[in-house]
Amino acid sequence: IEGNPYAGPEENGYPGFMALIDAVKPDQCTLVPDDPSQLTSDHGWNLTGESNRLKPLVAKLKADNIRVSCFMDPEHEQLNLAKHLGTDRIEFYTGPYADKHNSLEGDSILQTFIDAGNFAVSLGLAINAGHDLNQDNLARFCREVPSVAEVSIGHAIINDALWIGLSK
């Protein structure tokens, strides 16, 4: 389950993120810093200001035997803070790479993910990736960024299925 751990109950019956986690007990929980009014995420955590607030939530998830991932930008300082927070994995916000993957700028952006991926692995963090990854840009990302364990591309697969059919 992926979402903002601070999201509370809503009138539509949504129990709030942490209440949902308590009820479902997923294998993995990815913490995302999106605002409730956002349609989708557009950045990773800034743990410089959030580590103390997130730490008890991460500890609770770990105590419930839930693998914890934080949605992150490819920034070494932030990855180091994710490790100190106690997360098991990070999920790279890959939107900037996906937007520019077929350009020289895309090569430079991919290099930041490669460097950050190497750094994350050196910290003992596993790597997930997600946001706008699809059949066009996924293979190169996974080939070049070290040790990608998991990708979130469900939206892209469903979108492709609508246009070309699920079997293709």
Side-chain angles (χ1 to χ4, degrees):
I1 297 178
E2 181 174 301
N4 189 318
Y6 306 134
E10 297 177 9
E11 290 180 12
N12 63 8
Y14 178 67
F17 187 79
M18 293 305 290
L20 180 62
I21 297 301
D22 284 341
V24 174
K25 300 287 190 227
D27 292 327
Q28 177 174 277
C29 178
T30 301
L31 307 178
V32 181
D34 57 356
D35 183 89
S37 64
Q38 282 182 275
L39 181 59
T40 188
S41 308
D42 63 0
H43 64 282
W45 285 100
N46 177 354
L47 295 177
T48 304
E50 286 295 327
S51 288
N52 289 337
R53 190 172 172 208
L54 278 176
K55 194 161 189 79
L57 299 176
V58 170
K60 181 191 181 329
L61 294 168
K62 304 264 300 173
D64 288 342
N65 202 31
I66 297 171
R67 182 173 58 232
V68 180
S69 176
C70 277
F71 201 61
M72 302 297 294
D73 295 316
E75 300 171 4
H76 289 215
E77 176 187 354
Q78 294 298 318
L79 298 176
N80 200 35
L81 291 169
K83 174 64 177 176
H84 288 297
L85 188 59
T87 62
D88 305 293
R89 295 184 177 194
I90 52 95
E91 179 175 327
F92 281 131
Y93 166 62
T94 54
Y97 162 73
D99 289 342
K100 305 285 184 179
H101 79 278
N102 273 338
S103 68
L104 289 177
E105 186 179 359
D107 292 345
S108 174
I109 292 168
L110 180 60
Q111 188 60 52
T112 65
F113 284 101
I114 294 167
D115 294 344
N118 284 320
F119 184 68
V121 168
S122 78
L123 295 173
L125 293 167
I127 299 171
N128 295 348
H131 206 289
D132 297 334
L133 293 174
N134 59 37
Q135 294 182 75
D136 297 326
N137 57 32
L138 179 63
R140 183 176 181 202
F141 189 90
C142 288
R143 186 174 52 250
E144 296 191 34
V145 176
S147 304
V148 174
E150 179 180 305
V151 293
S152 297
I153 63 166
H155 291 113
I157 290 172
I158 297 304
N159 186 52
D160 287 349
L162 291 172
W163 291 104
I164 63 174
L166 189 56
S167 63
K168 292 182 183 179

